[in-house]
Amino acid sequence: MRNPILLIGNDINNISKGQSWKELLQDIVNFCLPEGSVQLDDRKPFPLLYEEIFLTAIRQAHINEADLKTFIAKKTLAIQSNEIHAEIRSLRPAHILTTNYEFTLEGVIPTAYDGIITERVFSIFRKYIVDNIHYWHIHGDCQNPLSINLGFEHYGGQLQQMRNYVVSGTTYSSPQTPKLSLVRRMHLKEPIREDSWLDLFFTKDIHIFGLSLDFVETDLWWLLTYRARQKFQKNTIPVRNALYYYIPAEFVKGAKFKLDMLAANDVKVIDIEAKDKPAYYREVIRRIRQL
């Protein structure tokens, strides 16, 4: 496929040597709290665990959230690129959407911001262009620590901004931003300029990999369900694009509950056999290239 559009999550970084996610969580706790103040537990959804850490730190250590997010930004910025990042770039994708905060996909730290407006906290227009590839950091980026989407409050605000852009219309003061909602503009058959990564979800085929799509990703699950409702229930706009979700075959049985929900939301699931993680991602890239 020429110039595909990709949505990529953090799992591709797990090939790189360095700090694990669990170690990062422990470092976050150690940074802002006395030992034993918060217990890490896999049963705690991360956005709520972050709120527990932060709210406990406010009371016990009077920490500023900007300082905490700056610490997290520095930690994640240290993640190293690996060969898979380079192979993804070799696809020459038109757009890469990512939930990652660092710039391993770009291969360099961008020197200029390319979104139509500068966003301090949320990420509707957050874009960098590197070597003619458009990179959308949909959960924030390390150069703007307050934009890093971690807690339940931030997820709620992000979803609110997303729904405004897609459904009800925006109130941004900048004349560059569309005021009519995406759905309204599509209904009126106005040209979609790809001002936001959200435009792509309703108009272009997207290949999703390296992203667990846990149910704590409430913003992305809302987007999937709203798109599916537009296609199958409301029929107010044409939704003709396809979404593809890639998963290692060894995880299919254990993830059936999630894959069933993806299928219900008009996402095509593609499982791939591979001997290890690098081989799996190389096969994903190969299949996308050959489409």
Side-chain angles (χ1 to χ4, degrees):
M1 173 177 281
R2 184 173 180 176
N3 306 126
I5 296 172
L6 315 175
L7 169 55
I8 302 173
N10 185 65
D11 188 61
I12 60 166
N13 291 337
N14 292 331
I15 298 171
S16 302
K17 294 179 181 179
Q19 190 173 51
S20 70
W21 179 246
K22 191 168 184 179
E23 288 169 337
L24 175 60
L25 288 179
Q26 190 60 62
D27 282 350
I28 293 170
V29 173
N30 295 342
F31 171 76
C32 58
L33 287 168
E35 185 176 353
S37 298
V38 170
Q39 297 299 316
L40 301 182
D41 190 315
D42 291 341
R43 294 170 295 181
K44 295 179 180 180
F46 178 72
L48 287 173
L49 172 62
Y50 174 83
E51 297 293 349
E52 180 187 5
I53 294 168
F54 174 58
L55 293 171
T56 303
I58 288 177
R59 296 198 307 273
Q60 294 189 10
H62 307 289
I63 193 167
N64 185 296
E65 188 168 24
D67 293 336
L68 175 56
K69 287 197 171 184
T70 298
F71 171 79
I72 295 168
K74 289 178 179 177
K75 282 285 185 179
T76 53
L77 198 56
I79 296 172
Q80 298 296 308
S81 291
N82 59 56
E83 66 273 16
I84 298 302
H85 296 105
E87 291 187 36
I88 289 169
R89 290 192 293 274
S90 76
L91 281 172
R92 304 303 306 158
H95 300 267
I96 295 180
L97 290 61
T98 182
T99 54
N100 300 348
Y101 315 128
E102 85 300 325
F103 300 100
T104 49
L105 283 162
E106 287 93 332
V108 296
I109 297 177
T111 57
Y113 175 77
D114 297 289
I116 60 170
I117 63 169
T118 300
E119 295 173 288
R120 180 170 172 267
V121 177
F122 301 115
S123 300
I124 306 302
F125 309 100
R126 188 174 304 279
K127 180 174 70 172
Y128 298 92
I129 302 175
V130 178
D131 195 20
N132 293 319
I133 300 173
H134 294 235
Y135 294 88
W136 304 84
H137 286 263
I138 68 177
H139 281 173
D141 70 77
C142 289
Q143 293 199 106
N144 301 276
L146 287 178
S147 73
I148 293 177
N149 192 354
L150 291 165
F152 209 60
E153 164 63 16
H154 202 144
Y155 269 93
Q158 173 78 1
L159 179 50
Q160 181 180 22
Q161 297 299 318
M162 289 168 58
R163 199 175 192 284
N164 288 347
Y165 185 87
V166 174
V167 182
S168 57
T170 70
T171 57
Y172 299 103
S173 59
S174 170
Q176 292 181 282
T177 57
K179 300 300 184 288
L180 290 179
S181 70
L182 174 60
V183 168
R184 183 65 177 157
R185 284 180 282 132
M186 291 183 70
H187 182 70
L188 294 173
K189 298 183 175 161
E190 293 188 2
I192 304 302
R193 302 178 306 186
E194 298 177 358
D195 292 325
S196 168
W197 62 273
L198 292 162
D199 298 330
L200 303 171
F201 254 86
F202 293 83
T203 59
K204 303 293 184 181
D205 294 354
I206 299 177
H207 300 266
I208 306 169
F209 57 92
L211 183 65
S212 65
L213 269 178
D214 290 337
F215 296 137
V216 299
E217 306 279 13
T218 50
D219 54 341
L220 293 177
W221 278 101
W222 171 81
L223 188 59
L224 292 174
T225 56
Y226 186 81
R227 174 186 171 277
R229 280 175 175 263
Q230 282 294 324
K231 183 171 183 177
F232 299 119
Q233 180 194 22
K234 297 184 178 180
N235 267 330
T236 54
I237 60 171
V239 179
R240 302 189 183 98
N241 65 318
L243 305 179
Y244 302 92
Y245 182 79
Y246 296 82
I247 183 172
E250 63 186 291
F251 297 141
V252 167
K253 184 176 180 181
K256 185 178 184 302
F257 66 99
K258 180 170 64 180
L259 302 183
D260 288 345
M261 298 184 75
L262 286 171
N265 281 284
D266 192 43
V267 178
K268 298 173 174 61
V269 175
I270 301 171
D271 60 275
I272 292 177
E273 294 270 4
K275 64 179 181 179
D276 55 29
K277 199 181 290 286
Y280 163 73
Y281 284 116
R282 288 193 180 95
E283 179 61 16
V284 170
I285 292 166
R286 187 191 71 79
R287 292 199 189 189
I288 293 172
R289 195 189 304 276
Q290 291 190 342
L291 287 174

